[in-house]
Amino acid sequence: MRAQVHRISTTGPDDIEGLKAAIAAGTINPRHIVAILGKTEGNGCVNDFTRLLSTQSLKAALAEILGSTLQEVQQRIAFVMSGGTEGGLCPHLLVFEADRSPSRDAVPVPGRRGLAIGVSFTREFLPEEIGRMAQIEATAAAVRQAMEEARLQRPEDVHFVQIKCPLLTGPRIAEARARRQSVAAPDTYESMGFSRGASALGVALALGEITADAVCDAVVCRDYSLFSRRASTSAGIELMRNEILVMGNSDAWDGPYTIGHDVMADALDIDAVGRALARIEDAAAVKLNGHTRDMIAAVLCKAEASRSGTIRGHRHVMLDDSDIHASRHARALVGGVLAGQLGDTRLFVSGGAEHQGPSGGGPLALILRH
Amino acid sequence: MRAQVHRISTTGPDDIEGLKAAIAAGTINPRHIVAILGKTEGNGCVNDFTRLLSTQSLKAALAEILGSTLQEVQQRIAFVMSGGTEGGLCPHLLVFEADRSPSRDAVPVPGRRGLAIGVSFTREFLPEEIGRMAQIEATAAAVRQAMEEARLQRPEDVHFVQIKCPLLTGPRIAEARARRQSVAAPDTYESMGFSRGASALGVALALGEITADAVCDAVVCRDYSLFSRRASTSAGIELMRNEILVMGNSDAWDGPYTIGHDVMADALDIDAVGRALARIEDAAAVKLNGHTRDMIAAVLCKAEASRSGTIRGHRHVMLDDSDIHASRHARALVGGVLAGQLGDTRLFVSGGAEHQGPSGGGPLALILRH
Amino acid sequence: MRAQVHRISTTGPDDIEGLKAAIAAGTINPRHIVAILGKTEGNGCVNDFTRLLSTQSLKAALAEILGSTLQEVQQRIAFVMSGGTEGGLCPHLLVFEADRSPSRDAVPVPGRRGLAIGVSFTREFLPEEIGRMAQIEATAAAVRQAMEEARLQRPEDVHFVQIKCPLLTGPRIAEARARRQSVAAPDTYESMGFSRGASALGVALALGEITADAVCDAVVCRDYSLFSRRASTSAGIELMRNEILVMGNSDAWDGPYTIGHDVMADALDIDAVGRALARIEDAAAVKLNGHTRDMIAAVLCKAEASRSGTIRGHRHVMLDDSDIHASRHARALVGGVLAGQLGDTRLFVSGGAEHQGPSGGGPLALILRH
Amino acid sequence: MRAQVHRISTTGPDDIEGLKAAIAAGTINPRHIVAILGKTEGNGCVNDFTRLLSTQSLKAALAEILGSTLQEVQQRIAFVMSGGTEGGLCPHLLVFEADRSPSRDAVPVPGRRGLAIGVSFTREFLPEEIGRMAQIEATAAAVRQAMEEARLQRPEDVHFVQIKCPLLTGPRIAEARARRQSVAAPDTYESMGFSRGASALGVALALGEITADAVCDAVVCRDYSLFSRRASTSAGIELMRNEILVMGNSDAWDGPYTIGHDVMADALDIDAVGRALARIEDAAAVKLNGHTRDMIAAVLCKAEASRSGTIRGHRHVMLDDSDIHASRHARALVGGVLAGQLGDTRLFVSGGAEHQGPSGGGPLALILRH
């Protein structure tokens, strides 16, 4: 099997021209697409419809190209749109291909395991399930399923799990209340955190980072000592299920890509870039320089405002700002930290890292093209 | 003469406790204070009253401590409050002391020139003068006066000129129109750029970076090939004159501080830090490491959204965002870039760099304590 | 001919269920739809993609229902999405049907002229044409064409002209500059005003409210003594042409709807409701009460911040607010004023009334169902 | 005793010129001032420093005029600054005077009871007390004390209780947690609602609108069937105690002012104006017209987004908007509704009506000058 990753800048949330051009040029085989991640330019919060606009535009384009129905496209491809390109972040798509056909020209590089990817979906959740055990358990099951699909048997071979998960809106909360059900978070912005947090705990459970008896409804967004070092979860208004992309390295995959990850201990932890590079198996000597920068095919990471209200002892204002939500500040900050280091603003920085890395920090993954 | 710089974090725009504690402890001599710069946590745009709240709080505290009137405090000390601590920036004050008394314990270090500072003020401007030649010329004259005061005879000895300048509000525009005067920019947010731009051109003129015949009303915020490499100007609602702080290195000053500057070519140009360090005269060998980081007493720089709409070829959304003004995005971005590099969020990043460095970039200065 | 108006609340910008249900129920004949106006819940400014999401969703749904291509739908139906439902405004669609087939059951009511509607489109504009004579003249020609289509020969029979017009973005400005063309407004938010203003002047020209020799590039957004009392123009990122819906009353139309209009002199002018009702020809006795409220099928109006900075002598802060754009404040205000009066929040309040009514006020139209 | 109310527009949060002019003209006796309410132009949310700037400016001015210390001013005068002048609301002050000296020219009008006012303060609260029983009980006690001071023995003589109460910030929460105390609301914006809600329940308790056994920590911001019809509470960052102004009508007061109140059932309930007027005791015949409008000396009311997500059956977007907080939308809406009705934008509309009137509605009071 062979995985490929294509990074395509967009001119707006509805821009499908870059994808169509790559397909027309033969660079991308549309039948191999299994997931599309995207940074879109909305606020990344509750009323961010750019995620939906992007998803809708991509689905319509792919349905036409593939001669499929929208339903078929949706069943096969995970769409993980993450809103918010604050600071200098560049709106872009990451298109993941998985070629599962026996490929004659596959030339495994001895000693190098290739990027392996698996996609899965949970069922649709009810509003009252979001941010609670139902979401945690369904996510854990789906992560295991995607690992199996990717032939990533061992949890340690998994380097990143990207998830799109739902959020609560006024109407959704009202619908649950009409059925006399309470919801995990009555504030809609806050509900995003609960959905991200429960999804991340599901990843941690599936990867053995926490044990089943450690999780219950009460720990979500409360006991932050429980977290995954590889989960990145992003909430959106445009779906009610979780869509999951598991990434790792495996002998069963022979493409030119490999992935490595580490955890940023706080928002300024630029050394995480070097640590993630060092994790890429056959690349102990890889250092960040002009050459390695050119090898970077994708950067994925999480950002959040530290709950302590400080970064390395100095106050930040993110949590007290009623004009700009904390997740927007956090994306701008971590985007700047990494863009300065990498010289590139095409970074998939997702905001809100509940149970994803330690408080104030978050997982970081780099995909290199050899 | 001896200059000192004190960096004091604040808990809010009205927080004067840190300053009072430093005075009580004898660390700061209130009679020597000539300028206070501050990052406050407002939006940094038109309706940012945190700058005024900070200035008002500081003036009242200093008047009480010094036994002076508010008027006397205002005549002697420049207050340059810059709003906007987006991303992770830490609200803080930079208190500048100048001791002009013959000091017995002054021990000039051979080969090292000390930080030299000069303060000046223009007259109050009429609304119709803002962003035009009247402001440019008055600023140039005031910069020359501050240089003289600081005994910085040669323009090349000046490393940074920090200016607080006014902006237009609805009532101010209406007042001018009632007198049948037009204003440079009828949009209040836009007027901030014109005021910053004209002030920066005044610096460029005083420092010989441009010639007098190159400037006229029409070039302000239009011909961006004209710029200063050492100006940093910040507009605020709380004043109608320009308040100016000139910084350089001079034999006439023997304190433990020196300043160096360079220009960030774009928002990601982290190498500017090293270039500014290399400019510090007796410190050719200084590199950014744990030791030099500890020597940093203050960081001052400008940030702006590149007018091209791209950074190193990749699109940014700052100029098309109607929820968050471009100057807010830009501060968050450059703040992140530098905080990642320096490991510290106490950075005086000011937004809107019209005629301050090349388009999309901006001047950067570091003050080191030896 | 017979016109009908359907007001359909939406649950989000992509909600097409209400429209589909009305078509399924036979209430709306999709072949008769000539225009869809909509209030969507974005910021109504530059980066508001809810307008595009709504338009895209509606086009796809109608293409499927009609068995047409998207292209055909677009050529026949005007989509005028206006972003911004600040305060309590309810996101909703106004679907306009025009049945031009000889209709046996048409029963003209003696003495009552029915609602007449005409739709037209200009060509696509270049960025440098927006806010200038090219847009004014093309709009005037298109308004005349729509009047002819609606058999509204006399300008005084026209009661409202709703227009969707383009705006400038960073990339569009850059594209023009690459061709060495200047644009009317380099600030993207400001460009919305120029586009709205030029479109409104086009309406005023077509309706004889101003003369051709009174308009030139220089008067746009400058000489506000020139205005239309019946134009409502709304700028959006999602198109580069003007889409026009002309509404009036005519003997040639025999539906149960009539339209009346007047001008709000300022944002608080609630008496304009009564004046607009009095204009409805056979309804001199109509007063606003429970009965007439039930007759209201649609409310369309404009809102803007008065340039004087005051409303009836009292200061407003709309023009000095850098967190919330003035057009958002203005929609919230006028929406509140009218919702209090009418007891209904389903109001098509559009922000930014340059050359649409007097400064600080704007046109208002009511469509009644008899 | 005699009470007076002065409505003074401001040009900014620091504007004290209007107050000084009224004092210089003898219109206001500074020794009689017991409370100053103000609408300031900040966001009315957590990081709104305009309330503090206004309070600080007023205190300094009054201390100078009275020859008092700031401490003395603070002990005697309640400062209730409410941020947020969205829509067209006009920033203004309401200065309340109480003359308790035997006044020769007092001419009680037979059958009319005059405006009676009482001021009180609670102790400062700890962060963990905010939004809980400690705040409820201290508020109830302080309301009773203010009633006594105003000689308003019977609860039914009280028409409005305006309270300024604290909110939680990141540092305050951190301080409580360091002492191992939990807080009522870890989200700072949400904490404003808890503080307002607990303060309103304190009023309801003091006025006998609810019974002591009905309230406990758990009902705050949960059981909205408990509410006061006369409380208006506004949270701010600038204090840690509650400051209380009780208003009613009493035989013991003989000024030319009277107050009446009612409750807006929802945001569009304009009939509440007429009902409040009818409550003014000797003014059964008073109707809202040009004459009664001229008698209005002050308008005070609450605004909030209905939790149902709808207004009279139609959806609003306030609760799902992550760019503009719900309380800002609500102020703009209710401000528009009332400004349209009253023809005046100088309205003290305060946002967030937890336990103040029914869900989606809020108390309204009018003060008339006879």
Side-chain angles (χ1 to χ4, degrees):
Chain A
M1 295 185 291
R2 165 169 289 198
Q4 293 205 71
V5 186
H6 308 272
R7 185 156 57 176
I8 301 172
S9 295
T10 56
T11 60
D14 62 316
D15 178 21
I16 49 169
E17 296 309 314
L19 174 63
K20 284 166 83 171
I23 290 172
T27 315
I28 292 177
N29 181 336
R31 309 216 161 270
H32 294 167
I33 298 173
V34 293
I36 302 183
L37 275 56
K39 284 303 304 176
T40 60
E41 55 207 280
N43 62 24
C45 303
V46 179
N47 63 329
D48 181 352
F49 296 98
T50 62
R51 298 173 299 222
L52 175 54
L53 177 57
S54 179
T55 302
Q56 184 174 293
S57 302
L58 289 167
K59 281 181 188 169
L62 287 170
E64 193 185 332
I65 289 167
L66 293 167
S68 311
T69 64
L70 292 173
Q71 194 69 11
E72 287 163 353
V73 168
Q74 194 159 316
Q75 276 166 357
R76 202 168 58 73
I77 302 176
F79 292 90
V80 182
M81 297 301 141
S82 164
T85 54
E86 295 84 2
L89 292 173
C90 175
H92 68 285
L93 301 174
L94 295 172
V95 182
F96 288 83
E97 284 187 80
D99 182 359
R100 298 168 163 284
S101 56
S103 163
R104 273 182 305 180
D105 61 353
V107 184
V109 178
R112 191 169 80 217
R113 298 192 289 156
L115 174 66
I117 55 183
V119 165
S120 62
F121 310 92
T122 66
R123 63 177 169 81
E124 301 222 324
F125 296 113
L126 292 167
E128 63 267 31
E129 292 178 326
I130 292 173
R132 290 176 173 156
M133 282 305 295
Q135 192 180 20
I136 295 173
E137 288 170 346
T139 303
V143 169
R144 287 189 199 103
Q145 183 192 326
M147 286 170 64
E148 195 160 329
E149 186 196 296
R151 293 211 222 150
L152 288 160
Q153 284 86 353
R154 301 182 310 169
E156 59 264 39
D157 293 333
V158 174
H159 282 268
F160 215 66
V161 181
Q162 182 67 47
I163 292 183
K164 189 76 214 176
C165 54
L167 54 79
L168 294 177
T169 61
R172 288 170 186 175
I173 294 170
E175 189 272 326
R177 285 182 176 160
R179 290 184 289 98
R180 300 187 170 279
Q181 299 295 321
S182 76
V183 295
D187 177 81
T188 56
Y189 174 74
E190 203 187 343
S191 80
M192 302 179 78
F194 275 82
S195 182
R196 288 188 298 252
S199 301
L201 289 172
V203 175
L205 204 54
L207 298 183
E209 295 174 294
I210 59 173
T211 56
D213 56 359
V215 284
C216 60
D217 284 0
V219 304
V220 181
C221 289
R222 192 153 310 160
D223 181 355
Y224 289 112
S225 70
L226 304 171
F227 61 83
S228 169
R229 298 175 65 85
R230 287 164 280 178
S232 168
T233 63
S234 167
I237 201 173
E238 67 275 18
L239 79 180
M240 280 303 284
R241 64 177 180 178
N242 277 13
E243 309 204 352
I244 293 151
L245 174 64
V246 169
M247 291 167 264
N249 297 321
S250 160
D251 286 328
W253 297 71
D254 68 354
Y257 297 89
T258 45
I259 184 169
H261 85 279
D262 207 278
V263 170
M264 293 177 77
D266 63 19
L268 308 187
D269 183 12
I270 52 174
D271 295 339
V273 172
R275 294 195 304 268
L277 284 174
R279 290 262 197 131
I280 293 181
E281 287 140 294
D282 63 344
V286 170
K287 286 205 182 147
L288 189 65
N289 54 31
H291 177 63
T292 44
R293 275 184 194 153
D294 288 347
M295 292 173 68
I296 293 176
V299 179
L300 302 114
C301 74
K302 290 298 306 189
E304 74 172 0
S306 68
R307 281 170 203 89
S308 67
T310 60
I311 301 173
R312 302 195 183 176
H314 303 302
R315 183 168 72 105
H316 65 74
V317 303
M318 306 189 220
L319 298 173
D320 288 349
D321 190 339
S322 302
D323 296 314
I324 301 179
H325 268 301
S327 54
R328 307 200 74 181
H329 280 292
R331 276 190 297 268
L333 170 58
V334 172
V337 167
L338 291 176
Q341 191 72 355
L342 300 170
D344 197 319
T345 55
R346 293 171 302 166
L347 309 171
F348 189 89
V349 180
S350 165
E354 299 83 358
H355 303 291
Q356 301 151 69
S359 182
L364 166 76
L366 301 173
I367 300 177
L368 296 199
R369 189 185 207 290
H370 298 277
Chain B
M1 294 184 292
R2 166 170 290 198
Q4 293 205 71
V5 186
H6 309 272
R7 185 157 57 176
I8 301 172
S9 294
T10 57
T11 60
D14 61 317
D15 178 22
I16 49 169
E17 296 309 315
L19 175 62
K20 284 166 83 169
I23 290 172
T27 315
I28 293 178
N29 181 336
R31 311 216 160 269
H32 294 168
I33 298 174
V34 293
I36 302 183
L37 275 56
K39 283 302 303 177
T40 61
E41 54 208 280
N43 63 22
C45 302
V46 179
N47 62 329
D48 181 352
F49 296 98
T50 62
R51 297 174 300 223
L52 175 54
L53 177 58
S54 180
T55 302
Q56 184 173 293
S57 302
L58 289 167
K59 281 181 189 169
L62 287 169
E64 194 185 331
I65 289 167
L66 294 167
S68 311
T69 64
L70 292 173
Q71 194 70 10
E72 287 164 353
V73 168
Q74 193 159 315
Q75 275 165 358
R76 202 168 57 74
I77 302 177
F79 292 90
V80 182
M81 297 301 141
S82 164
T85 55
E86 295 84 1
L89 292 172
C90 175
H92 68 286
L93 301 174
L94 295 172
V95 182
F96 288 82
E97 282 187 80
D99 181 359
R100 298 167 164 286
S101 55
S103 164
R104 273 182 305 178
D105 61 353
V107 185
V109 178
R112 191 170 79 217
R113 300 193 288 158
L115 174 66
I117 55 183
V119 165
S120 62
F121 310 93
T122 67
R123 62 175 170 83
E124 301 222 325
F125 297 113
L126 292 167
E128 63 267 31
E129 292 178 327
I130 293 173
R132 289 175 173 156
M133 282 306 293
Q135 192 179 19
I136 295 173
E137 287 170 346
T139 303
V143 169
R144 287 188 200 102
Q145 181 192 329
M147 287 170 64
E148 196 160 329
E149 185 195 296
R151 293 211 221 149
L152 288 161
Q153 285 86 354
R154 301 181 310 169
E156 59 264 39
D157 294 332
V158 174
H159 282 269
F160 215 65
V161 181
Q162 182 66 48
I163 293 183
K164 190 77 214 174
C165 55
L167 55 79
L168 294 177
T169 60
R172 288 170 187 173
I173 294 170
E175 188 271 326
R177 285 182 176 160
R179 290 184 288 99
R180 301 190 169 275
Q181 298 294 321
S182 76
V183 294
D187 177 81
T188 55
Y189 174 74
E190 203 187 345
S191 79
M192 301 179 78
F194 275 82
S195 182
R196 288 189 298 252
S199 300
L201 289 171
V203 176
L205 203 54
L207 298 183
E209 296 176 293
I210 59 173
T211 56
D213 56 359
V215 285
C216 60
D217 284 359
V219 304
V220 181
C221 290
R222 192 153 309 161
D223 180 356
Y224 288 112
S225 70
L226 304 171
F227 61 84
S228 168
R229 298 176 65 85
R230 286 165 281 179
S232 168
T233 64
S234 168
I237 200 172
E238 67 274 17
L239 77 181
M240 280 303 284
R241 64 177 181 178
N242 277 14
E243 309 204 352
I244 293 152
L245 173 66
V246 170
M247 291 167 264
N249 297 321
S250 160
D251 285 329
W253 296 70
D254 67 354
Y257 298 88
T258 44
I259 184 170
H261 84 280
D262 206 279
V263 170
M264 293 178 77
D266 63 22
L268 308 187
D269 183 12
I270 51 174
D271 295 339
V273 172
R275 295 196 303 269
L277 283 174
R279 291 263 198 129
I280 294 182
E281 287 139 294
D282 63 344
V286 169
K287 286 202 181 152
L288 189 65
N289 54 32
H291 177 64
T292 44
R293 275 184 193 153
D294 289 346
M295 293 173 68
I296 293 176
V299 180
L300 303 115
C301 76
K302 291 298 305 189
E304 74 173 0
S306 69
R307 281 171 202 89
S308 66
T310 60
I311 301 173
R312 302 198 183 173
H314 303 301
R315 183 168 72 105
H316 65 73
V317 304
M318 307 189 220
L319 297 173
D320 288 349
D321 190 338
S322 302
D323 296 312
I324 301 178
H325 269 300
S327 55
R328 306 201 74 180
H329 279 292
R331 276 189 298 266
L333 170 59
V334 172
V337 166
L338 292 175
Q341 191 72 356
L342 300 170
D344 197 319
T345 55
R346 293 171 302 165
L347 310 170
F348 190 89
V349 180
S350 164
E354 299 83 357
H355 303 292
Q356 300 149 70
S359 182
L364 166 77
L366 300 173
I367 299 177
L368 295 198
R369 188 185 208 291
H370 299 277
Chain C
M1 295 185 291
R2 165 168 289 198
Q4 293 205 72
V5 186
H6 308 272
R7 184 156 59 175
I8 300 172
S9 294
T10 57
T11 60
D14 61 316
D15 178 21
I16 48 168
E17 296 309 315
L19 175 63
K20 284 166 83 170
I23 291 172
T27 315
I28 293 178
N29 181 336
R31 308 218 161 268
H32 293 168
I33 298 173
V34 294
I36 301 183
L37 275 56
K39 283 303 304 178
T40 62
E41 54 207 280
N43 62 23
C45 303
V46 178
N47 63 328
D48 181 352
F49 296 99
T50 62
R51 296 173 300 222
L52 175 55
L53 178 57
S54 179
T55 302
Q56 184 174 294
S57 301
L58 289 167
K59 281 181 189 169
L62 287 170
E64 195 185 331
I65 288 166
L66 294 167
S68 311
T69 63
L70 292 173
Q71 194 70 11
E72 286 163 352
V73 168
Q74 192 159 317
Q75 276 165 357
R76 201 166 59 73
I77 302 177
F79 293 91
V80 181
M81 297 301 140
S82 164
T85 55
E86 295 83 0
L89 292 173
C90 175
H92 68 285
L93 302 175
L94 294 173
V95 183
F96 287 83
E97 283 187 79
D99 181 358
R100 301 170 162 282
S101 56
S103 164
R104 274 183 304 179
D105 62 351
V107 185
V109 178
R112 192 169 80 219
R113 300 193 288 158
L115 174 67
I117 55 182
V119 164
S120 62
F121 310 93
T122 67
R123 62 176 171 82
E124 301 223 325
F125 297 113
L126 293 168
E128 62 267 32
E129 292 178 326
I130 292 174
R132 289 174 173 159
M133 281 307 291
Q135 192 180 19
I136 294 173
E137 288 170 347
T139 302
V143 169
R144 286 188 201 105
Q145 182 192 327
M147 286 170 65
E148 196 160 330
E149 186 197 296
R151 294 213 220 147
L152 288 161
Q153 284 87 353
R154 300 182 309 169
E156 59 264 39
D157 294 332
V158 174
H159 281 268
F160 215 66
V161 181
Q162 182 65 49
I163 293 182
K164 190 75 214 176
C165 54
L167 56 78
L168 295 177
T169 60
R172 288 170 186 173
I173 294 170
E175 189 271 327
R177 285 182 175 158
R179 290 184 288 99
R180 301 189 169 276
Q181 299 295 321
S182 76
V183 293
D187 177 80
T188 56
Y189 174 74
E190 203 187 344
S191 79
M192 301 179 78
F194 275 81
S195 183
R196 286 189 299 251
S199 301
L201 289 172
V203 175
L205 204 54
L207 298 183
E209 295 175 293
I210 59 172
T211 56
D213 56 358
V215 286
C216 60
D217 284 359
V219 303
V220 181
C221 290
R222 192 152 310 161
D223 181 356
Y224 288 112
S225 69
L226 303 172
F227 60 84
S228 169
R229 297 176 65 85
R230 286 165 281 178
S232 168
T233 63
S234 167
I237 201 172
E238 66 274 17
L239 78 181
M240 281 304 282
R241 65 176 179 178
N242 277 15
E243 309 203 353
I244 292 151
L245 173 66
V246 169
M247 290 167 265
N249 297 321
S250 161
D251 286 329
W253 297 70
D254 67 355
Y257 298 88
T258 44
I259 185 170
H261 85 279
D262 207 278
V263 170
M264 293 177 77
D266 63 21
L268 308 188
D269 184 11
I270 52 173
D271 295 338
V273 172
R275 294 196 304 268
L277 283 174
R279 290 263 198 131
I280 294 183
E281 286 141 293
D282 62 346
V286 169
K287 285 203 181 152
L288 189 65
N289 53 32
H291 177 64
T292 45
R293 274 183 194 153
D294 288 346
M295 293 174 68
I296 293 176
V299 179
L300 302 114
C301 76
K302 290 299 305 190
E304 74 172 0
S306 69
R307 280 171 204 90
S308 66
T310 61
I311 301 173
R312 302 197 181 174
H314 303 301
R315 184 168 73 104
H316 65 73
V317 304
M318 308 189 219
L319 298 173
D320 288 349
D321 190 339
S322 302
D323 296 313
I324 301 180
H325 269 299
S327 54
R328 306 201 74 180
H329 279 291
R331 274 189 298 267
L333 170 58
V334 172
V337 167
L338 292 176
Q341 190 72 356
L342 300 171
D344 197 320
T345 55
R346 293 171 302 165
L347 310 170
F348 190 89
V349 180
S350 165
E354 299 83 358
H355 304 291
Q356 300 150 70
S359 181
L364 165 77
L366 301 174
I367 300 178
L368 295 199
R369 190 184 206 289
H370 299 278
Chain D
M1 294 185 289
R2 166 169 288 199
Q4 293 204 72
V5 187
H6 308 272
R7 186 156 57 176
I8 301 172
S9 294
T10 56
T11 61
D14 62 316
D15 177 22
I16 49 168
E17 296 309 315
L19 175 63
K20 284 166 84 170
I23 290 172
T27 315
I28 293 177
N29 181 337
R31 308 216 163 268
H32 293 168
I33 298 174
V34 293
I36 302 184
L37 276 55
K39 283 303 303 177
T40 61
E41 55 208 279
N43 62 24
C45 302
V46 179
N47 63 328
D48 180 352
F49 296 99
T50 62
R51 295 173 301 223
L52 175 54
L53 177 57
S54 179
T55 302
Q56 183 174 294
S57 302
L58 290 167
K59 282 181 189 168
L62 287 170
E64 195 185 331
I65 289 167
L66 294 167
S68 311
T69 64
L70 291 174
Q71 194 70 9
E72 288 163 352
V73 167
Q74 193 158 316
Q75 276 165 357
R76 203 167 56 75
I77 302 177
F79 293 91
V80 182
M81 297 300 142
S82 164
T85 54
E86 296 83 1
L89 291 173
C90 175
H92 68 286
L93 302 175
L94 294 173
V95 182
F96 288 83
E97 283 187 81
D99 182 358
R100 298 166 164 283
S101 56
S103 165
R104 273 181 302 179
D105 61 353
V107 185
V109 178
R112 192 169 80 216
R113 301 192 287 158
L115 174 66
I117 55 182
V119 164
S120 63
F121 309 93
T122 67
R123 63 176 170 81
E124 302 222 324
F125 297 113
L126 293 167
E128 62 268 30
E129 293 178 324
I130 292 174
R132 288 174 175 159
M133 281 307 293
Q135 192 179 18
I136 294 173
E137 288 169 347
T139 303
V143 169
R144 287 189 201 103
Q145 181 192 328
M147 286 171 64
E148 195 161 331
E149 185 196 298
R151 294 214 220 148
L152 289 161
Q153 285 85 352
R154 301 182 308 169
E156 58 265 38
D157 293 331
V158 174
H159 283 268
F160 215 65
V161 181
Q162 182 65 49
I163 294 183
K164 190 76 213 176
C165 55
L167 54 79
L168 295 177
T169 61
R172 288 170 187 175
I173 294 170
E175 188 272 327
R177 285 183 175 157
R179 290 183 289 99
R180 301 190 170 277
Q181 299 295 321
S182 76
V183 293
D187 178 81
T188 56
Y189 174 74
E190 203 187 344
S191 79
M192 301 179 78
F194 274 82
S195 182
R196 287 189 299 251
S199 300
L201 289 172
V203 175
L205 204 54
L207 299 184
E209 296 175 292
I210 59 173
T211 56
D213 56 358
V215 285
C216 61
D217 284 0
V219 304
V220 181
C221 290
R222 192 152 310 159
D223 180 356
Y224 288 112
S225 69
L226 303 171
F227 60 83
S228 169
R229 297 175 65 85
R230 286 165 282 179
S232 168
T233 64
S234 167
I237 200 171
E238 67 274 18
L239 79 181
M240 279 305 280
R241 64 176 180 178
N242 277 15
E243 310 204 352
I244 292 152
L245 174 65
V246 170
M247 291 167 263
N249 297 321
S250 160
D251 286 327
W253 296 71
D254 68 354
Y257 298 88
T258 44
I259 184 169
H261 85 279
D262 206 280
V263 170
M264 294 178 77
D266 64 20
L268 307 188
D269 184 12
I270 51 172
D271 295 339
V273 172
R275 294 195 305 268
L277 284 174
R279 290 263 198 131
I280 293 182
E281 288 141 291
D282 62 345
V286 169
K287 286 205 178 149
L288 190 66
N289 54 33
H291 178 64
T292 45
R293 273 183 194 153
D294 288 348
M295 293 173 67
I296 293 175
V299 180
L300 302 116
C301 75
K302 290 298 306 189
E304 75 173 359
S306 68
R307 281 171 201 89
S308 66
T310 59
I311 301 174
R312 302 197 182 174
H314 303 302
R315 183 168 74 104
H316 65 72
V317 304
M318 306 189 220
L319 298 173
D320 288 349
D321 190 338
S322 301
D323 297 312
I324 300 179
H325 269 300
S327 55
R328 307 200 73 180
H329 280 292
R331 274 189 298 268
L333 170 58
V334 172
V337 167
L338 292 176
Q341 191 72 356
L342 300 171
D344 197 319
T345 55
R346 293 170 302 166
L347 310 170
F348 189 88
V349 181
S350 165
E354 299 81 359
H355 302 292
Q356 300 150 70
S359 181
L364 166 76
L366 301 173
I367 300 177
L368 296 199
R369 189 182 206 290
H370 299 277

